Amino acid sequence: MTRRRTRPRAAAVLVGCALLLTGCGIKRTGVIDSGHAATVKVPGGNSTVLYFLSKEGDRLVPSPITGFEGHHINPVVLVSLLLNGPRGRAGEVGLTTGLPRITDRMDEELAVSPYSHEGVTVRLPFAVGNLPAPARMQLVCTVGLSAVPDTVSPVTLQGTDTTLAPADCDLKR
């Protein structure tokens, strides 16, 4: 009985080794030149960016503000533009927002603190405690990436209900 069990095992090992040595029929090829690496133009540098949500609402999408290249936009104006939702090309391609719209009266209650080493505080005229994470990231990324050029600043959101802990922009969301 021992002999019969050894033969099938030995045969299986030999077949496995033979398959490994043959490379399963894949032939060698030389180096194939496929051209240059892909490049993508990412908003940044001198352009100011608003972060909206994809059609599905599951990820942030940068939307550059045109016409102000090389100029710093007041952060309160930036937040106001974000809260008014996507317009122009951003709206045409289906970008959306998870943030509530505000009225003109509420617009006067918006405030953004000056930058400090602790970051920036955004005071909003609505509750922030129950905002979905993507909506919070819209505010954090829009303000956090525009406060100081080439710097990611922590952003504290202060609403009518609570003040959230400072957060950094996480574009993976």
Side-chain angles (χ1 to χ4, degrees):
M1 278 199 231
T2 307
R3 209 172 177 145
R4 286 184 185 171
R5 288 186 184 172
T6 307
R7 283 186 187 168
R9 286 185 189 161
V13 170
L14 287 174
V15 169
C17 288
L19 285 174
L20 287 174
L21 292 174
T22 61
C24 300
I26 299 172
K27 296 181 181 181
R28 290 182 158 245
T29 61
V31 176
I32 299 172
D33 188 15
S34 63
H36 298 288
T39 58
V40 177
K41 186 174 182 179
V42 177
N46 289 335
S47 74
T48 302
V49 178
L50 298 174
Y51 285 89
F52 292 112
L53 299 177
S54 64
K55 290 179 188 178
E56 298 79 22
D58 61 346
R59 71 187 186 305
L60 293 176
V61 178
S63 178
I65 299 174
T66 57
F68 296 97
E69 290 81 5
H71 298 290
H72 184 74
I73 298 177
N74 182 320
V76 174
V77 173
L78 206 58
V79 172
S80 182
L81 289 170
L82 181 67
L83 294 174
N84 283 315
R87 296 175 186 250
R89 184 75 180 125
E92 290 171 10
V93 299
L95 297 184
T96 186
T97 184
L99 297 166
R101 303 243 184 219
I102 61 171
T103 64
D104 289 338
R105 183 185 60 78
M106 293 170 77
D107 198 34
E108 296 172 5
E109 298 174 36
L110 285 175
V112 179
S113 71
Y115 171 79
S116 73
H117 291 291
E118 289 81 34
V120 178
T121 299
V122 179
R123 193 172 60 232
L124 300 156
F126 52 82
V128 296
N130 291 329
L131 281 176
R136 287 194 307 266
M137 280 297 113
Q138 282 185 262
L139 287 160
V140 168
C141 290
T142 297
V143 175
L145 296 177
S146 69
V148 178
D150 301 322
T151 304
V152 178
S153 303
V155 176
T156 301
L157 300 178
Q158 183 180 45
T160 57
D161 60 339
T162 188
T163 300
L164 300 176
D168 288 324
C169 178
D170 180 8
L171 292 176
K172 296 174 189 166
R173 291 182 166 256

